[in-house]
Amino acid sequence: MKVLGKCLVLILVLCSAPVKAALDIVITEGVDAARPIVVMPFKWEGQDPMPSQISDVVTSDLARSGTFHPIDTFGLPQKGISGVTEFNTAAWANVSAEAVVMGSIKPYGAGKYLVSFDLIDLVKAQQNPAATKNDLLLDTREAVITQAQFRQYAHRISDIVYEQLTGIKGAFLTRIAYVVVEYGAKFPYRLMIADYDGYNEQMLLRSPEPLMSPSWSPDGRKLAYVSFENKKSEIYIQDIYTQVRTKITSYPSINGAPSFSPDGKKLAITLSKDGQPDIYIVDIATKALTRVTNHYAIDTEARWFPDGKSLLFTSERGGRPQLYRAYLGTGKVSRLTFEGEWNLGGAVMPDGRSIVFVNRTQGKFHIARMDLKTRFMQVLTETRLDESPSIAPNGTMVIYGTTYQGKQVLAAVSMDGRFKARLPMGQGEVKSPSWSPFL
Amino acid sequence: MDLNKLFKAMLVVLPIMAVSACSSTSETETDATSTNGTTSSESAANGVQTGGVAPIVSPEEQQRLKFQELRKENVIYFEFDSSAVSPQFEEILKAHAAYLVEHSNVKVVIEGYTDARGTPEYNIALGERRAKSVTKYLQGMGVLPSQMSIVSYGEEKPADTSRSDAAFAQNRRAILVY
């Protein structure tokens, strides 16, 4: 609290009112490869105008997953139906899609709504017209929600549909943290969070000095980041709900690149207090330091492997920045990347079996992925000056910072590189995205 | 002798001398570093030329004045992914070093910056290396380590925010801040 009082120039704001979408997705590649699906407009069973349309959110969720292509609902054989009981199997024989999502929204007492939905297996319906309605039903749910929960419940439906059809947990109920910079403003640097799709954007902190490298705690409650508010780099942890900020390190020289350990008790960080940037681990509760690397070259950008026993980091010890792995038990360090001129800024996939990072080849910076066993590297992006990759908690998508029309913007690419999208913002430069864990 | 006063006096005296000689033009230029020579100015309007004599300044003072001018330059630029101080900035750093050696109570912050290529955290490390390389240079000229501190802003505070090669060259820099 003392720190808070001291920094009057630094303003903490947590807006309670939801802000409209700040990020409008522009899908630049990948619709052709996606699986067709039907998301019917949910049937409104009330007298007053419908407060919000759930199916719009589900449609855009599935589209931006890159896995699905929600087809145009204009020419569908049936309209205004909300459940499998009204589904006429024969009528849908020629619709090219693999599943149908339909549902209804009913007023349910003061300010509450009953939302129900069915997920229908269209492939089965077309292959076996005699199948019972129950056989066609892949999932069915209903829930009572408030008006404020419409978007959240829509994401929940998207998660269920996605998992039913792919076997992979959906990551639609997640958030991203990022930094917005508006040069010339009184507080040019702003730390923001938003729903994964850009809605409900909220400012966590604004400052006259740079803010960098937000990193989520495993419970999705806290962010660690770097702030220059005291004219030097320092590492803070901020609770996104209570706004409580704690200064974790303020050593001489660099305090950078924080990354929460999988158990949430420690941060891997970069400090240069002992002469050159090296990797350290700081215990969040005691602030006790453990040194991980000790090399005259630059070591930075540490990220934990999911088992918490080793760290991925960037090192210049081979002459150029490359990715290395440090084993905490033995102190052993091994080099992981050899392809291209530079490889840096790594992130570890949730299964720990591959890594995503910035690759520089012939002077161009792109996001690449490498399988740790086969060492096969695939460049995923074609955008300019790509940096700061962050992986969705289900491992299907990477969000990263890039340059578009001379400005810093966020972009996303699917793990196979086939789906690409841009997330343009209205004002300022947008950078350092960090995808939250499952919430 | 109070150098600062002398310098200020010269800034005032020289233009007055020149202006009084050719009041019809504003093309008068004063060069504080050429104070041991004569100054002359020409009036395009009436063709007459006037001569004047600058105050006498010792070689040491002349050197100090030159350094004072040089110290107004406080930005050192770097090549891509390099922290080597190129020879063209030697004069500027000499001037800063001379001042810092003479005024051992004066402290300077050396800020390191990079262009936007690479990752933000790697660039923080690179910016620090640039700032350090300037500190080493100054230390080699006798500046005490206790007079210098460094901070790296990496790619976070570009001088030119456009993302072109020309902007990148402007952003790869170290700044000496007193």
Side-chain angles (χ1 to χ4, degrees):
Chain A
M1 289 316 283
K2 234 184 209 170
V3 179
L4 267 181
K6 223 166 59 182
C7 310
L8 283 174
V9 284
L10 208 83
I11 299 179
L12 285 160
V13 185
L14 191 70
C15 317
S16 55
V19 183
K20 76 167 190 68
L23 304 158
D24 286 316
I25 186 163
V26 178
I27 297 172
T28 50
E29 207 180 311
V31 181
D32 296 348
R35 295 156 61 176
I37 187 168
V38 176
V39 182
M40 298 184 73
F42 277 29
K43 193 173 171 188
W44 171 237
E45 296 177 2
Q47 303 298 322
D48 306 324
M50 180 164 48
S52 184
Q53 181 49 283
I54 280 189
S55 57
D56 291 348
V57 178
V58 177
T59 302
S60 71
D61 276 348
L62 295 176
R64 63 186 294 173
S65 74
T67 309
F68 294 100
H69 169 49
I71 64 169
D72 194 349
T73 56
F74 185 71
L76 293 177
Q78 283 188 287
K79 283 191 185 358
I81 60 171
S82 60
V84 75
T85 51
E86 299 163 88
F87 182 75
N88 177 354
T89 308
W92 290 76
N94 296 316
V95 176
S96 307
E98 63 178 81
V100 184
V101 184
M102 60 178 75
S104 65
I105 308 163
K106 261 183 251 191
Y108 196 84
K112 290 191 173 166
Y113 302 89
L114 178 71
V115 179
S116 55
F117 81 94
D118 286 354
L119 175 63
I120 294 166
D121 187 338
L122 192 53
V123 175
K124 195 186 250 180
Q126 291 170 347
Q127 285 173 346
N128 180 12
T132 67
K133 295 281 168 78
N134 232 4
D135 279 350
L136 300 180
L137 205 55
L138 289 169
D139 211 316
T140 177
R141 311 258 176 132
E142 60 177 26
V144 175
I145 60 168
T146 65
Q147 192 165 340
Q149 292 172 320
F150 266 67
R151 289 199 72 84
Q152 193 184 320
Y153 192 66
H155 291 317
R156 174 87 187 109
I157 294 172
S158 305
D159 277 345
I160 293 162
V161 170
Y162 188 87
E163 187 162 0
Q164 278 291 351
L165 298 178
T166 65
I168 301 165
K169 196 171 173 186
F172 304 108
L173 258 181
T174 52
R175 290 186 169 123
I176 48 170
Y178 48 96
V179 175
V180 173
V181 187
E182 213 174 322
Y183 297 111
K186 196 175 173 196
F187 299 98
Y189 302 91
R190 299 196 295 261
L191 176 63
M192 314 293 291
I193 54 168
D195 291 353
Y196 99 96
D197 59 1
Y199 279 79
N200 296 319
E201 189 186 40
Q202 305 194 333
M203 183 164 63
L204 295 182
L205 181 74
R206 59 177 178 170
S207 171
E209 296 295 331
L211 298 170
M212 290 178 73
S213 309
S215 162
W216 289 91
S217 64
D219 62 3
R221 237 197 112 89
K222 291 175 185 142
L223 281 172
Y225 57 85
V226 176
S227 173
F228 283 77
E229 65 201 61
N230 294 318
K231 300 277 182 185
K232 67 185 294 296
S233 58
E234 295 172 319
I235 294 170
Y236 289 81
I237 289 177
Q238 183 170 334
D239 188 303
I240 67 168
Y241 300 115
T242 66
Q243 302 186 34
V244 171
R245 291 176 92 215
T246 316
K247 193 190 284 185
I248 304 299
T249 69
S250 179
Y251 289 100
S253 301
I254 295 172
N255 295 257
S259 169
F260 272 97
S261 60
D263 66 5
K265 291 178 180 160
K266 289 169 252 167
L267 288 179
I269 56 173
T270 301
L271 298 176
S272 62
K273 66 182 182 71
D274 297 317
Q276 70 283 329
D278 276 314
I279 308 296
Y280 293 75
I281 291 171
V282 60
D283 184 293
I284 294 167
T286 66
K287 310 279 192 295
L289 280 185
T290 312
R291 190 170 188 168
V292 178
T293 67
N294 186 350
H295 197 280
Y296 59 84
I298 291 171
D299 290 341
T300 187
E301 300 177 326
R303 289 283 180 276
W304 297 80
F305 276 79
D307 65 1
K309 289 177 182 163
S310 58
L311 296 173
L312 174 70
F313 68 103
T314 304
S315 179
E316 228 194 0
R317 58 188 65 196
R320 293 279 171 190
Q322 293 290 348
L323 290 160
Y324 292 76
R325 184 173 187 171
Y327 294 85
L328 300 177
T330 60
K332 199 187 122 203
V333 170
S334 62
R335 182 168 166 175
L336 301 178
T337 54
F338 295 88
E339 229 175 302
E341 298 139 19
W342 294 8
N343 292 290
L344 69 168
V348 184
M349 283 282 279
D351 65 6
R353 290 205 283 248
S354 53
I355 54 174
V356 171
F357 47 92
V358 178
N359 168 264
R360 176 178 180 247
T361 299
Q362 294 178 336
K364 298 211 182 328
F365 293 87
H366 288 135
I367 305 299
R369 173 198 188 183
M370 191 183 82
D371 184 288
L372 290 176
K373 209 171 202 175
T374 64
R375 296 281 162 102
F376 173 71
M377 188 187 94
Q378 181 191 3
V379 175
L380 302 177
T381 61
E382 292 158 353
T383 35
R384 186 169 167 250
L385 291 171
D386 302 341
E387 61 183 26
S388 310
S390 176
I391 303 171
N394 65 359
T396 58
M397 193 77 74
V398 181
I399 192 168
Y400 63 98
T402 185
T403 296
Y404 179 70
Q405 294 182 339
K407 278 180 74 178
Q408 285 179 278
V409 299
L410 303 185
V413 62
S414 63
M415 213 45 90
D416 59 7
R418 290 201 298 187
F419 173 86
K420 297 183 172 78
R422 207 168 50 239
L423 318 166
M425 301 278 298
Q427 283 207 313
E429 314 274 332
V430 193
K431 54 196 289 189
S432 300
S434 177
W435 208 314
S436 81
F438 291 114
L439 297 175
Chain B
M1 167 177 275
D2 190 335
L3 262 180
N4 222 1
K5 264 185 195 160
L6 171 72
F7 183 67
K8 274 179 193 157
M10 271 168 11
L11 282 178
V12 174
V13 167
L14 289 175
I16 287 172
M17 289 193 321
V19 168
S20 60
C22 47
S23 54
S24 61
T25 74
S26 61
E27 287 177 358
T28 53
E29 271 186 14
T30 58
D31 184 358
T33 58
S34 67
T35 43
N36 264 4
T38 57
T39 56
S40 68
S41 60
E42 199 172 335
S43 163
N46 53 22
V48 289
Q49 217 174 353
T50 60
V53 180
I56 293 163
V57 179
S58 72
E60 289 83 14
E61 283 157 3
Q62 195 183 351
Q63 180 75 353
R64 279 179 207 166
L65 290 165
K66 184 181 147 202
F67 280 171
Q68 191 159 3
E69 270 303 297
L70 278 168
R71 278 206 315 280
K72 289 177 185 169
E73 300 278 336
N74 65 343
V75 186
I76 315 294
Y77 294 97
F78 294 85
E79 293 299 309
F80 175 61
D81 196 35
S82 163
S83 55
V85 175
S86 69
Q88 67 182 106
F89 298 104
E90 192 182 326
E91 282 284 286
I92 292 172
L93 288 176
K94 256 188 195 162
H96 286 278
Y99 178 76
L100 287 163
V101 166
E102 199 168 322
H103 304 85
S104 56
N105 59 330
V106 171
K107 292 195 186 329
V108 64
V109 180
I110 296 134
E111 301 175 343
Y113 299 84
T114 69
D115 67 28
R117 287 175 285 183
T119 59
E121 288 288 357
Y122 174 71
N123 280 333
I124 287 288
L126 183 57
E128 183 181 78
R129 188 187 282 166
R130 282 183 180 149
K132 265 192 181 164
S133 130
V134 171
T135 359
K136 272 185 204 146
Y137 207 96
L138 293 174
Q139 211 178 319
M141 292 171 170
V143 180
L144 300 171
S146 60
Q147 286 177 274
M148 299 180 285
S149 61
I150 55 171
V151 58
S152 171
Y153 288 103
E155 62 177 86
E156 306 303 314
K157 287 180 145 189
D160 184 334
T161 59
S162 68
R163 289 166 82 78
S164 61
D165 286 345
F168 291 160
Q170 287 298 302
N171 294 338
R172 292 189 300 266
R173 67 208 195 276
I175 308 180
L176 287 83
V177 181
Y178 286 94

